[in-house]
Amino acid sequence: MALLLCPIYPLYRLSQGKMTERTLVGIMFIQLGFTCFFACCLKYLTRPKRQELFACSIAYMGVLIVFMSQTIQNSHDDGS
């Protein structure tokens, strides 16, 4: 549960400011870092096959990307 909630706060804070190239790079690195951490935890706490690890990591990254796309869209629709 913590792996789902921990990246939300920094991603949300970054998305509320002005969207610059630096902000977008920061968002990408946070998503990539938490996805790698998720994959490492999954690998060492369970015994997944390579394709299962890949599929779970892609699904996790997808959740983070959908959250960010909704957050950025809502913040810019409000006039920020």
Side-chain angles (χ1 to χ4, degrees):
M1 188 69 154
L3 283 173
L4 288 174
L5 297 178
C6 287
I8 299 299
Y9 182 73
L11 290 173
Y12 178 76
R13 295 293 295 166
L14 279 175
S15 70
Q16 296 305 305
K18 184 178 179 185
M19 281 296 142
T20 63
E21 184 176 330
R22 187 174 182 174
T23 304
L24 292 174
V25 169
I27 288 171
M28 286 188 288
F29 275 115
I30 289 172
Q31 289 175 338
L32 183 62
F34 275 101
T35 301
C36 290
F37 182 65
F38 175 77
C40 289
C41 288
L42 193 63
K43 180 179 180 184
Y44 292 114
L45 295 176
T46 64
R47 297 175 193 240
K49 297 176 186 171
R50 184 179 296 158
Q51 63 268 22
E52 294 169 342
L53 184 63
F54 182 73
C56 290
S57 297
I58 294 299
Y60 181 77
M61 179 67 91
V63 168
L64 294 179
I65 289 173
V66 167
F67 170 76
M68 282 311 302
S69 67
Q70 292 297 316
T71 304
I72 290 171
Q73 182 180 7
N74 289 340
S75 69
H76 292 302
D77 286 345
D78 294 338
S80 296

